[in-house]
Amino acid sequence: MPTASRTYWLTTSCRIRRKDQSLRIEREDGSPVHIPITDVRDIVACESVDINTAVISLLNQHRINIHFLSHYGDYAGSLLTSDTSTSGQTVIAQARLAGDPSASLNIARSIVTSAAANIRRVVDRKLLARPVDVLEASVAESSTREELMGAEGTFRRSAWAVLDTRLPEWLRLNGRSRRPPLNAGNAFISYVNGIVYARLLSAVRLTPLHSGVAFLHSTMERQRHSLVLDLAEVFKPLFAERLLLRLAGRGQLKPAHFDVDVNQAMLSDSGRKLVVQTVRDELAVTIQHRALGRNVAYDELLYLEALQLTRTCLEGTPYKPFKIWW
């Protein structure tokens, strides 16, 4: 993934205006900030943003996308540039592979088992050993994507129950809930998952792949990018569950970081800033890549994953989804 520019995170309501070849970020509680357009790779807006056509024109010219998250952390949508790296040859190969029932199901199986392996590694290797074995047996017997999703759902419920045993009572999920999350733990998971989705969408759009042609999730998904949903499955544990356990264990997450009401919860202003900063720091962490023999940032792992799937579509190389190895 290109490193000459970077992602900008907007955690407070603001207005974006154009000033020559720069973006002018105007916040209600501070002086304007000028950002050279060449310094921006993409933007993640965690609060409401006011933009005009002059800004859109500049962003489109430099292929800069803006991703929007709702108050609850759900992916609300993106302002995507008209120019992409998608190539017809790759999309045809991708569609052909996705249309092959056997090949597509094999990729979907690998996504489900790799995601489960990552969850087990993050949450509890011992207590989730048996649920992983059950999942793998179910995956091997599954003949449709719906059966795979069902097996994955059963495993996830076991994983969330184990996760709760490692969290303070006020942060426990008590089952997964979305739109809106019912409690603080679910609010955290949803918000981080929304960020992961946005970052993966940027990564996929840097490759020749089409974000709407998927292998596990339905290609008929109209409001979200199905391929991004596929890839997000294997990366969500690295950020969501892992960071929830870390921040809870260190006592960094407090009830004040959440606004909890009857049957709904969301991060407070201070909570959003804490979570965004934590994820930003984590995306910049580097590890020694076993195949490349060099250090790569977590953020680059997302791009490398999309590139690997590109090679699978074009060259027929087996797809081996990301697994946490450290």
Side-chain angles (χ1 to χ4, degrees), residues 196-209:
V196 171
Y197 179 91
R199 297 299 308 121
L200 272 165
L201 178 55
S202 285
V204 169
R205 283 176 64 84
L206 290 172
T207 73
L209 294 170

Side-chain angles (χ1 to χ4, degrees), residues 10 22 36 43 50 132 134 139 141 144 148 169 206 215 227 234 246 292 294:
L10 306 178
S22 297
I43 299 171
D50 180 338
V132 165
V134 172
V139 165
E141 296 174 356
T144 65
L148 280 176
E169 185 174 357
L206 290 172
F215 302 92
L227 183 63
V234 298
R246 178 193 296 175
L292 298 179
R294 63 175 175 84

